[in-house]
């Protein structure tokens, strides 16, 4: 899982590069960024002398390959490939560097809904293209050309995106705070409220919010230090409270524009209320929420709390018609809520408010996909199955 802000979202999904192979003369690579297998983007790229143009398919649909962010990634990868392969003694560059590329990519979670599908997608794209074109080294700058926070999705575990100091941004890169196995009890629940695309007006915040600079200069640096400590020491109480406070402040900053930007909806606010009442009932912070640029909630908790909180979500947001598919991902044993907790929640049920839940955990770094059945492009360089 990868969200697109600061200290409250060091947790993310990461790309899993696949094995290179030769398919009918096509050099190809498949990668799979995954927050375990519950949230992932799978990407296959192929280059061939027979391709007449660059092409890309996203979630089974061919898209415009001329999109500026996509072209920026392609140009940089090809530039790096030429730089690496050039011997400097006059030798000709390999012909393959001039081949056109075909790319197919699939998300198994809602796209453009505030769940950082663009970050996962561009990280996966950068890593896959790097394998196809033989580019090595840190790919932060390449991935960031597509989506700023994509650089964090190039690593597993807990990751920080460092602001950097250089004017050209070359030192604005990601670094791993801790590996995925560092905090095995930590769990993440994605409460999918809406699959609709989010509003893409976030740049307005940077331009028109007078509080953004103060937040960036005076608040975020100290919170980053504290979040790093919380993760390294597995201090869930402090981790959870800081996560919620920073999410709240991020959305307050969005509202501090004119006209205001509001990513949360009524269900989002009911989830916030549910979390606080759940914690108050237990007399401690057992669950935390965070929201990116969309209404869908990301819930952090520990393994021993998952089942009860999932039951609380079911109680407050009864499935409208998909009770058997309401929970996806990791298995969660059903439990009954106590009458005391039901009373503490004290909310009028909102049927269908939460469409479904994805239960997951901290994911690993790049992983190779050796099985050809996982590759999205066939020997002809076209999608080989329904995506």
């Amino acid at each position: 899982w990868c969200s697109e802000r600061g200290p409250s979202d060091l947790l993310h999904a990461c790309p899993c590069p696949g094995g290179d192979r030769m398919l009918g003369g096509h050099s190809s690579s498949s990668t799979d960024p995954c927050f375990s297998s519950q949230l992932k983007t799978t990407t296959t790229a192929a280059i061939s002398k027979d391709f007449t143009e660059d092409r890309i398919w996203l979630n089974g649909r061919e898209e415009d390959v001329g999109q500026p962010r996509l072209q920026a990634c392609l140009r940089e990868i090809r530039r790096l490939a030429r730089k690496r392969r050039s011997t400097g003694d006059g030798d000709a560059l390999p012909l393959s560097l001039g081949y056109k590329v075909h790319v197919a990519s699939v998300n198994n979670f809602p796209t453009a809904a505030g769940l950082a599908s663009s970050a996962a997608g561009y990280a996966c794209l950068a890593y896959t293209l790097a394998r196809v074109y033989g580019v090595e080294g840190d790919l932060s700058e390449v991935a960031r050309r597509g989506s700023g926070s994509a650089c964090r999705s190039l690593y597993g575990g807990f990751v920080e995106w460092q602001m950097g100091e250089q004017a050209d941004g070359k030192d604005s890169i990601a670094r791993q705070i801790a590996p995925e196995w560092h905090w095995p009890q930590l769990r993440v629940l994605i409460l999918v409220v809406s699959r609709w695309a989010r509003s893409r007006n976030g740049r307005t915040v940077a331009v028109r919010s007078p509080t953004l600079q103060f937040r960036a200069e005076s608040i975020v640096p100290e919170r980053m230090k504290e979040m790093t400590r919380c993760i390294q020491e597995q201090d869930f109480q402090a981790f959870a409270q800081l996560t919620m406070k920073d999410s709240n402040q991020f959305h307050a900053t969005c509202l501090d524009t004119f006209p205001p930007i509001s990513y949360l909806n009524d269900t989002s606010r009911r989830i916030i209320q549910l979390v606080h009442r759940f914690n108050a009932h237990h007399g401690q912070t057992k669950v935390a929420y965070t929201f990116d640029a969309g209404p869908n909630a990301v819930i952090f908790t520990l393994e021993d709390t998952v089942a009860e909180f999932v039951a609380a979500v079911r109680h407050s947001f009864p499935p409208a018609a998909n009770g058997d598919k309401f929970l996806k991902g990791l298995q969660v044993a059903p439990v009954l809520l106590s009458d005391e907790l039901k009373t503490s929640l004290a909310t009028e049920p909102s049927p269908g408010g939460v469409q479904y839940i994805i239960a997951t955990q901290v994911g690993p770094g790049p992983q190779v996909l050796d099985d050809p059945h996982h590759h999205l492009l066939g020997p002809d360089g076209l999608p080989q199955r329904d995506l």
Side-chain angles (χ1 to χ4, degrees):
W1 161 250
C2 178
S3 88
E4 298 184 356
R5 291 177 284 104
S8 67
D9 38 79
L10 298 175
L11 211 60
H12 73 294
C14 30
C16 316
D20 289 345
R21 57 176 180 159
M22 298 299 295
L23 291 175
H26 307 161
S27 174
S28 71
S29 179
S30 293
T31 68
D32 184 4
C34 54
F35 192 177
S36 63
S37 62
Q38 291 79 47
L39 292 170
K40 64 181 180 179
T41 300
T42 303
T43 300
T44 301
I47 57 175
S48 171
K49 61 181 177 60
D50 297 325
F51 296 163
T52 59
E53 60 181 344
D54 295 330
R55 300 177 69 182
I56 186 168
W57 293 264
L58 301 178
N59 294 319
R61 176 180 176 180
E62 187 164 11
E63 301 288 346
D64 178 15
V65 76
Q67 298 175 47
R69 295 193 296 168
L70 176 60
Q71 284 298 312
C73 290
L74 278 171
R75 284 195 301 270
E76 183 62 11
I77 282 289
R78 285 166 169 162
R79 185 190 71 80
L80 293 173
R82 290 187 179 92
K83 180 179 179 181
R84 178 176 181 272
R85 302 292 286 275
S86 177
T87 60
D89 58 7
D91 290 348
L93 294 171
L95 291 176
S96 61
L97 293 183
Y99 291 170
K100 299 299 183 180
V101 64
H102 287 186
V103 177
S105 186
V106 173
N107 289 321
N108 74 340
F109 58 98
T111 298
L115 292 177
S117 58
S118 62
Y122 276 106
C124 202
L125 176 68
Y127 210 109
T128 308
L129 291 175
R131 292 182 65 87
V132 167
Y133 284 102
V135 173
E136 299 177 350
D138 183 68
L139 298 173
S140 291
E141 189 175 1
V142 178
R144 278 175 33 231
R145 291 170 186 262
S147 173
S149 55
C151 63
R152 290 179 304 184
S153 294
L154 290 167
Y155 297 90
F158 303 81
V159 180
E160 172 192 4
W161 179 12
Q162 296 180 317
M163 181 173 64
E165 298 178 355
Q166 297 179 16
D168 59 9
K170 291 186 180 296
D171 61 341
S172 178
I173 59 177
R175 74 179 183 99
Q176 188 182 68
I177 299 298
E180 67 273 12
W181 42 260
H182 169 71
W183 201 347
Q185 301 85 6
L186 193 64
R187 293 291 182 270
V188 183
L189 301 172
I190 313 300
L191 275 53
V192 179
V193 171
S194 172
R195 297 177 64 92
W196 297 106
R198 71 184 184 190
S199 170
R200 294 191 178 277
N201 55 3
R203 291 183 182 273
T204 308
V205 179
V207 175
R208 300 181 181 175
S209 171
T211 62
L212 180 64
Q213 185 172 359
F214 174 75
R215 169 175 157 79
E217 295 178 352
S218 303
I219 297 177
V220 170
E222 290 304 313
R223 284 186 171 178
M224 290 297 290
K225 294 177 183 178
E226 175 63 7
M227 179 58 74
T228 300
R229 182 200 67 77
C230 292
I231 290 172
Q232 292 175 339
E233 299 179 9
Q234 299 181 15
D235 183 349
F236 183 80
Q237 293 284 307
F239 168 87
Q241 291 182 23
L242 183 55
T243 294
M244 292 186 284
K245 289 177 181 178
D246 198 72
S247 176
N248 294 342
Q249 189 181 83
F250 166 73
H251 288 279
T253 301
C254 291
L255 288 173
D256 186 36
T257 64
F258 193 82
I261 299 172
S262 180
Y263 290 115
L264 307 184
N265 61 21
D266 288 344
T267 300
S268 307
R269 287 181 278 272
R270 290 191 184 101
I271 291 170
I272 292 173
Q273 185 181 63
L274 171 66
V275 168
H276 284 296
R277 289 181 175 178
F278 185 91
N279 289 336
H281 170 79
H282 287 285
Q284 59 178 309
T285 305
K286 295 176 72 69
V287 180
Y289 57 78
T290 185
F291 295 82
D292 196 2
N296 302 304
V298 178
I299 303 295
F300 294 104
T301 188
L302 297 179
E303 185 178 16
D304 59 5
T305 305
V306 170
E308 186 180 37
F309 187 75
V310 167
V313 174
R314 277 186 178 271
H315 172 76
S316 300
F317 304 97
N322 65 334
D324 59 331
K325 298 179 181 179
F326 187 65
L327 182 66
K328 304 181 180 184
L330 298 177
Q331 294 294 314
V332 178
V335 299
L336 296 176
L337 292 183
S338 67
D339 291 337
E340 292 79 9
L341 179 53
K342 290 180 181 179
T343 300
S344 297
L345 297 180
T347 56
E348 188 70 24
S350 178
V354 173
Q355 296 186 16
Y356 58 90
I357 302 172
I358 305 173
T360 186
Q361 59 190 6
V362 185
Q367 295 183 353
V368 173
L369 298 178
D370 287 323
D371 188 346
H373 292 95
H374 292 157
H375 297 173
L376 305 179
L377 297 175
D380 58 358
L382 299 176
Q384 63 175 345
R385 56 187 171 90
D386 291 337
L387 304 180

